[in-house]
Coordinates of all heavy atoms in Angstrom, one line a residue:
R125 N -1.9 146.8 175.4 CA -1.6 148.2 175.5 C -0.3 148.4 176.4 O 0.5 149.3 176.2 CB -2.8 148.9 176.1 CG -2.8 150.4 176.1 CD -4.1 150.9 176.6 NE -5.3 150.5 175.7 CZ -6.2 149.7 176.0 NH1 -6.2 149.0 177.2 NH2 -7.2 149.4 175.1
D126 N -0.2 147.5 177.4 CA 0.8 147.7 178.5 C 2.1 146.9 178.3 O 3.1 147.2 178.9 CB 0.3 147.3 179.9 CG -1.0 148.1 180.1 OD1 -1.0 149.3 179.8 OD2 -2.0 147.4 180.6
L127 N 2.1 145.9 177.4 CA 3.3 145.1 177.2 C 3.6 144.8 175.8 O 2.7 144.7 174.9 CB 3.0 143.7 177.9 CG 3.0 143.7 179.4 CD1 2.6 142.4 180.0 CD2 4.3 144.1 180.1
M128 N 4.9 144.6 175.5 CA 5.3 144.4 174.1 C 6.5 143.4 174.1 O 7.0 143.1 175.2 CB 5.7 145.7 173.4 CG 6.9 146.3 174.0 SD 7.2 148.0 173.3 CE 7.4 147.5 171.6
L129 N 6.8 142.9 172.9 CA 8.1 142.1 172.8 C 9.2 143.1 172.5 O 9.0 144.0 171.6 CB 7.9 141.1 171.7 CG 6.9 140.0 172.0 CD1 6.7 139.1 170.8 CD2 7.3 139.1 173.2
R130 N 10.3 143.0 173.2 CA 11.4 144.0 173.0 C 11.8 144.1 171.6 O 11.8 143.1 170.9 CB 12.6 143.7 173.9 CG 13.3 142.4 173.5 CD 14.4 142.0 174.5 NE 14.6 140.6 174.4 CZ 14.9 139.7 175.3 NH1 15.1 140.2 176.6 NH2 15.0 138.5 175.1
T131 N 12.1 145.3 171.1 CA 12.5 145.5 169.7 C 14.0 145.6 169.6 O 14.6 145.5 168.5 CB 11.9 146.7 169.1 OG1 12.4 147.9 169.7 CG2 10.4 146.8 169.1
H132 N 14.7 145.7 170.7 CA 16.2 145.8 170.8 C 16.7 145.5 172.2 O 15.9 145.6 173.1 CB 16.7 147.1 170.2 CG 16.2 148.3 171.0 ND1 16.8 149.6 170.9 CD2 15.2 148.5 171.9 CE1 16.1 150.4 171.7 NE2 15.2 149.8 172.3
T133 N 17.9 145.1 172.2 CA 18.5 144.7 173.5 C 18.8 146.0 174.4 O 18.9 145.9 175.6 CB 19.8 144.0 173.4 OG1 20.6 144.6 172.3 CG2 19.6 142.5 173.1
S134 N 18.8 147.2 173.8 CA 18.9 148.4 174.5 C 17.8 148.6 175.5 O 18.0 149.3 176.5 CB 19.0 149.6 173.6 OG 20.0 149.5 172.6
A135 N 16.7 147.9 175.3 CA 15.6 148.0 176.3 C 16.0 147.6 177.7 O 15.4 148.0 178.7 CB 14.4 147.1 175.9
H136 N 17.1 146.9 177.8 CA 17.6 146.5 179.2 C 18.7 147.4 179.8 O 19.2 147.1 180.8 CB 18.0 145.0 179.1 CG 17.0 144.1 178.7 ND1 15.9 143.8 179.5 CD2 16.8 143.4 177.6 CE1 15.1 143.0 178.9 NE2 15.6 142.8 177.7
E137 N 19.1 148.4 179.0 CA 20.2 149.2 179.5 C 20.0 149.7 180.9 O 20.9 149.6 181.8 CB 20.5 150.4 178.5 CG 21.2 150.0 177.3 CD 21.8 151.2 176.5 OE1 21.6 152.4 177.0 OE2 22.4 151.0 175.5
V138 N 18.8 150.3 181.2 CA 18.7 150.9 182.5 C 18.8 149.9 183.6 O 19.6 150.1 184.6 CB 17.3 151.7 182.6 CG1 17.0 152.2 184.0 CG2 17.3 152.9 181.6
E139 N 18.1 148.7 183.5 CA 18.2 147.7 184.5 C 19.6 147.1 184.7 O 20.0 146.8 185.8 CB 17.1 146.7 184.4 CG 17.3 145.7 183.3 CD 16.1 144.8 183.0 OE1 15.7 144.0 183.9 OE2 15.5 145.0 181.9
V140 N 20.3 147.0 183.6 CA 21.7 146.4 183.7 C 22.6 147.4 184.3 O 23.4 147.1 185.2 CB 22.2 145.9 182.4 CG1 23.6 145.4 182.5 CG2 21.3 144.7 181.9
F141 N 22.5 148.7 183.9 CA 23.4 149.7 184.5 C 23.1 149.8 186.0 O 23.9 150.0 186.9 CB 23.2 151.1 183.9 CG 23.9 151.2 182.5 CD1 23.2 151.7 181.4 CD2 25.3 151.0 182.4 CE1 23.9 151.8 180.2 CE2 25.9 151.1 181.2 CZ 25.2 151.5 180.1
A142 N 21.8 149.6 186.4 CA 21.4 149.7 187.8 C 22.0 148.6 188.6 O 22.1 148.7 189.8 CB 19.8 149.6 187.9
R143 N 22.4 147.5 188.0 CA 23.1 146.4 188.7 C 24.6 146.8 189.0 O 25.3 146.0 189.5 CB 23.1 145.1 187.9 CG 21.8 144.5 187.6 CD 21.9 143.3 186.8 NE 20.6 142.7 186.4 CZ 20.5 141.7 185.6 NH1 21.5 141.0 185.1 NH2 19.3 141.2 185.3
R144 N 24.9 148.0 188.6 CA 26.3 148.6 188.8 C 27.4 147.7 188.1 O 28.5 147.6 188.6 CB 26.6 148.7 190.3 CG 25.7 149.6 191.0 CD 25.9 151.1 190.6 NE 24.9 151.9 191.1 CZ 25.0 152.7 192.2 NH1 26.2 152.8 192.8 NH2 24.0 153.5 192.6
E145 N 27.0 147.1 187.0 CA 28.0 146.4 186.2 C 28.9 147.4 185.5 O 28.4 148.4 184.9 CB 27.3 145.5 185.1 CG 26.5 144.4 185.7 CD 27.3 143.3 186.2 OE1 28.5 143.2 186.0 OE2 26.7 142.5 187.0
R146 N 30.2 147.2 185.5 CA 31.1 148.2 184.8 C 31.3 147.8 183.4 O 31.6 148.7 182.6 CB 32.4 148.3 185.6 CG 32.4 148.5 187.0 CD 31.7 149.8 187.4 NE 32.3 151.0 187.0 CZ 31.8 152.2 187.4 NH1 30.8 152.4 188.2 NH2 32.4 153.3 186.9
Q147 N 31.3 146.6 183.1 CA 31.4 146.1 181.6 C 30.6 144.9 181.4 O 30.8 143.9 182.1 CB 32.9 145.9 181.3 CG 33.8 145.3 182.3 CD 35.2 145.4 182.0 OE1 35.6 146.2 181.1 NE2 36.0 144.5 182.6
W148 N 29.7 145.0 180.5 CA 28.7 143.9 180.4 C 28.3 143.6 178.9 O 28.4 144.5 178.1 CB 27.5 144.2 181.2 CG 26.8 145.5 181.0 CD1 27.0 146.6 181.7 CD2 25.8 145.8 180.0 NE1 26.2 147.6 181.2 CE2 25.4 147.1 180.2 CE3 25.1 145.0 179.0 CZ2 24.4 147.8 179.4 CZ3 24.2 145.6 178.3 CH2 23.8 147.0 178.4
L149 N 27.9 142.4 178.7 CA 27.4 141.9 177.4 C 26.0 141.3 177.7 O 25.8 140.7 178.7 CB 28.3 140.9 176.9 CG 29.5 141.2 176.1 CD1 30.2 139.9 175.7 CD2 29.3 142.1 175.0
L150 N 25.1 141.4 176.7 CA 23.8 140.8 176.8 C 23.4 140.3 175.4 O 23.5 141.1 174.5 CB 22.9 141.9 177.4 CG 21.5 142.2 177.0 CD1 20.6 141.0 177.2 CD2 21.0 143.3 177.8
S151 N 23.0 139.1 175.4 CA 22.5 138.5 174.1 C 21.0 138.2 174.3 O 20.6 137.7 175.3 CB 23.2 137.2 173.8 OG 24.6 137.4 174.0
A152 N 20.2 138.4 173.2 CA 18.8 138.2 173.4 C 18.1 138.2 172.0 O 18.6 138.7 171.1 CB 18.2 139.2 174.3
D153 N 16.9 137.6 172.1 CA 16.0 137.6 170.9 C 15.2 138.9 170.9 O 14.8 139.4 172.0 CB 15.0 136.4 171.0 CG 14.5 136.2 172.4 OD1 15.2 136.5 173.4 OD2 13.4 135.7 172.6
V154 N 15.1 139.5 169.7 CA 14.3 140.7 169.6 C 13.3 140.6 168.5 O 13.4 139.7 167.6 CB 15.3 142.0 169.4 CG1 16.2 142.1 170.5 CG2 16.0 141.8 168.1
Y155 N 12.3 141.4 168.5 CA 11.1 141.2 167.6 C 10.7 142.5 166.9 O 10.5 143.5 167.5 CB 9.9 140.8 168.5 CG 10.2 139.5 169.2 CD1 11.0 139.4 170.4 CD2 9.8 138.3 168.7 CE1 11.4 138.3 171.0 CE2 10.1 137.1 169.3 CZ 10.9 137.1 170.5 OH 11.2 135.9 171.1
R156 N 10.6 142.4 165.6 CA 10.2 143.6 164.8 C 9.4 143.1 163.6 O 9.7 142.2 162.9 CB 11.4 144.4 164.2 CG 12.2 145.1 165.3 CD 13.3 145.9 164.7 NE 14.3 146.2 165.7 CZ 15.5 146.8 165.5 NH1 15.8 147.1 164.3 NH2 16.3 147.0 166.5
R157 N 8.3 143.9 163.4 CA 7.4 143.5 162.2 C 8.1 144.1 161.0 O 8.6 145.2 161.0 CB 6.1 144.1 162.4 CG 5.4 143.7 163.7 CD 3.9 144.1 163.7 NE 3.1 143.4 162.7 CZ 1.9 143.8 162.3 NH1 1.4 144.9 162.8 NH2 1.3 143.1 161.4
D158 N 8.2 143.2 159.9 CA 8.9 143.7 158.8 C 8.5 142.9 157.5 O 7.6 142.1 157.6 CB 10.4 143.4 159.0 CG 11.3 144.5 158.5 OD1 10.9 145.1 157.4 OD2 12.3 144.8 159.1

Side-chain angles (χ1 to χ4, degrees):
R125 191 174 296 111
D126 304 318
L127 291 172
M128 65 186 301
L129 295 172
R130 65 185 158 217
T131 65
H132 58 165
T133 42
S134 304
H136 299 290
E137 280 194 3
V138 173
E139 72 191 294
V140 175
F141 283 128
R143 295 179 187 178
R144 300 292 171 100
E145 294 289 345
R146 306 304 295 189
Q147 37 191 20
W148 53 267
L149 279 182
L150 140 60
S151 312
D153 40 332
V154 299
Y155 299 78
R156 291 183 198 174
R157 302 189 70 197
D158 218 325

